[in-house]
Amino acid sequence: MPMLLYGRRYDTAEPVVLETANGRISQTRQVSVAQQDLDRWPWIGPAMLDVQVNGYGGQEFSAQTLTVEEVQRIANAFAEFGVTRLCPTVTTQTSAVLTHALRTVAAACEASPALAARLPGIHLEGPFLTPQDGARGAHPLRCIRPPDWDTFQRFQEAAGGRIRILTLSPEYDGSAEFVRRVADTGVIVSIGHTSATPEQIRAAVDAGARMSTHLGNGSHPMLHRLRNYLWEQMAEDRLMAGIIVDGHHLPPAVVKCLVRAKTPERCILVSDISGQAGQPPGRYTSDFCDVEILPDGKLVIAGQREFLAGAALPTNVCVANVMEFAGVDLATAMRMVAHNPAGLLELEPGGLEPGDPADLVQFDLARSTGKLSFDVRATVFEGTLIYGELWAP
């Protein structure tokens, strides 16, 4: 059914009305609005694609308790944040848990073509990561293992071929050949949670690695000031960089440096949101340890306030923060969360021109107590309203 969407363009700020038909933009018209009325118009732009979502509302994807219904619920929940597509991220666990999680996500997609369109691939983060403390993050040491082709093939079979991103550490013997074999299947190899040398990073990229997972996080607290895996990945133009800009994982100055070094064209905003997110502030028990959500949205290991236990703030928060921290404009920030991840996965992003997918978010940018916020009014996927109410003048 045709739909009309009003808003200020995210890229030019011009007021427009978009008409949709058959899941795409059929017409774009600029409209005349008095200046005194323009401020109350919301913005409109492409909906977001988050390639690193670990769960939500008390449910991790990487859990024996995951069900088809929970996969659907998590996907639906993210529409509230302007996210229409996401990669369920299955993190290091026992082979039995990983296999169950991968099969469950695959089953959910097979049961619902509409859901499958919103889950363009699984992100398998682990278990081929570093065993070293700090860089390993919250991934359980007992489940860490070197890269193994047969093991990966079993995981891909359980996923029904839906693994699109594999995060690994290229520090092990034979890593480059493993990267090459995985990349040759079309899976995006991403470097993360690593203790690799600069030479091992370069070898992995030469073999086909294309991305850095949450660059700057999952790192050792102390590194050599010159020879380290962060500089090597920042300097490598063949690597896209996932960046968590929730205000807790990276200081503003680090975000600014990463965006300037990689350039916005090579940056992808990710939430890396935990399964504990979406719950009120308080203490919770997880498979890894007791955690606490603080009033400001910071997710920490319970009993202290510094050591993070994951992310608890959604993708739209990252958009507002990167504008503030890195000094980029709205159009640039939206490309980092829509066009860049879509390009990585070889998908069409939403757009505002005739023929573009009607995959859109209508939102307000507001400033309260000095902080910029990105407040979603409505989210549209394939020309269908999936969250909120559309604003009209």
Side-chain angles (χ1 to χ4, degrees):
M1 181 177 180
M3 174 186 295
L4 296 179
L5 296 98
Y6 295 82
R8 288 178 280 177
R9 293 182 63 115
Y10 76 102
D11 50 358
T12 66
E14 296 172 338
V16 293
V17 56
L18 309 178
E19 186 171 343
T20 71
N22 301 316
R24 292 186 175 266
I25 305 299
S26 59
Q27 190 175 22
T28 302
R29 300 193 307 273
Q30 188 172 348
V31 295
S32 179
V33 180
Q35 187 60 44
Q36 64 266 26
D37 296 328
L38 191 58
D39 286 345
R40 70 186 185 91
W41 275 56
W43 296 86
I44 191 165
M48 306 174 207
L49 195 172
D50 195 333
V51 301
Q52 195 162 9
V53 173
N54 302 304
Y56 192 70
Q59 177 66 61
E60 300 279 353
F61 283 116
S62 192
Q64 196 68 47
T65 57
L66 185 68
T67 64
V68 166
E69 292 74 21
E70 284 294 279
V71 175
Q72 179 75 68
R73 181 188 64 79
I74 294 169
N76 291 344
F78 267 71
E80 180 181 350
F81 314 129
V83 176
T84 54
R85 295 179 289 186
L86 59 92
C87 291
T89 301
V90 177
T91 58
T92 307
Q93 261 294 348
T94 64
S95 291
V97 171
L98 292 178
T99 299
H100 168 78
L102 296 167
R103 284 176 176 164
T104 302
V105 174
C109 292
E110 290 161 7
S112 170
L115 177 63
R118 297 183 58 194
L119 306 181
I122 296 170
H123 182 167
L124 179 60
E125 186 182 358
F128 313 127
L129 308 177
T130 186
Q132 293 188 21
D133 290 345
R136 192 181 71 255
H139 294 256
L141 177 59
R142 71 184 187 281
C143 300
I144 297 294
R145 68 187 73 177
D148 179 77
W149 177 251
D150 290 339
T151 299
F152 174 72
Q153 287 291 87
R154 287 194 294 272
F155 289 151
Q156 186 66 290
E157 182 180 359
R162 294 182 182 274
I163 296 173
R164 292 292 308 278
I165 303 173
L166 172 66
T167 292
L168 56 73
S169 170
E171 68 192 70
Y172 296 94
D173 291 342
S175 289
E177 179 57 28
F178 179 80
V179 168
R180 183 173 291 105
R181 293 186 75 177
V182 173
D184 284 348
T185 69
V187 173
I188 297 156
V189 176
S190 189
I191 298 170
H193 292 284
T194 187
S195 301
T197 65
E199 292 79 10
Q200 289 170 326
I201 297 292
R202 288 196 293 271
V205 177
D206 288 342
R210 296 171 52 196
M211 184 179 172
S212 300
T213 293
H214 50 50
L215 189 59
N217 293 113
S219 303
H220 295 83
M222 298 290 288
L223 291 169
H224 190 284
R225 66 190 178 92
L226 298 177
R227 283 183 50 79
N228 66 66
Y229 47 76
L230 292 181
W231 286 123
E232 199 65 37
Q233 291 177 84
M234 288 171 66
E236 179 50 76
D237 290 343
R238 290 173 291 178
L239 290 175
M240 300 292 287
I243 305 176
I244 309 170
V245 195
D246 62 354
H248 300 305
H249 276 75
L250 296 170
V254 174
V255 172
K256 190 174 189 177
C257 289
L258 289 175
V259 172
R260 288 187 173 184
K262 295 302 297 185
T263 75
E265 290 72 28
R266 297 188 186 93
C267 290
I268 294 174
L269 301 184
V270 300
S271 67
D272 195 24
I273 203 163
S274 164
Q276 302 300 326
Q279 301 182 106
R283 186 168 179 146
Y284 299 92
T285 298
S286 76
D287 290 341
F288 306 112
C289 60
D290 284 353
V291 301
E292 187 174 359
I293 300 176
L294 303 180
D296 63 355
K298 189 175 184 180
L299 179 63
V300 298
I301 297 172
Q304 51 80 59
R305 290 177 171 261
E306 294 302 319
F307 295 106
L308 296 172
L313 296 176
T315 323
N316 57 316
V317 172
C318 298
V319 175
N321 282 345
V322 81
M323 293 174 66
E324 297 278 80
F325 297 173
V328 300
D329 60 16
L330 175 61
T332 301
M334 292 301 288
R335 285 197 298 272
M336 294 164 70
V337 79
H339 297 80
N340 292 357
L344 179 73
L345 295 173
E346 300 180 343
L347 301 171
E348 278 190 283
L352 307 186
E353 302 302 331
D356 288 342
D359 190 8
L360 303 164
V361 58
Q362 191 185 63
F363 60 96
D364 296 312
L365 285 176
R367 189 173 294 279
S368 176
T369 64
K371 184 177 176 62
L372 187 67
S373 65
F374 184 114
D375 303 317
V376 176
R377 284 179 179 255
T379 305
V380 173
F381 182 60
E382 295 183 343
T384 299
L385 181 69
I386 61 173
Y387 170 78
E389 295 182 5
L390 290 170
W391 179 89

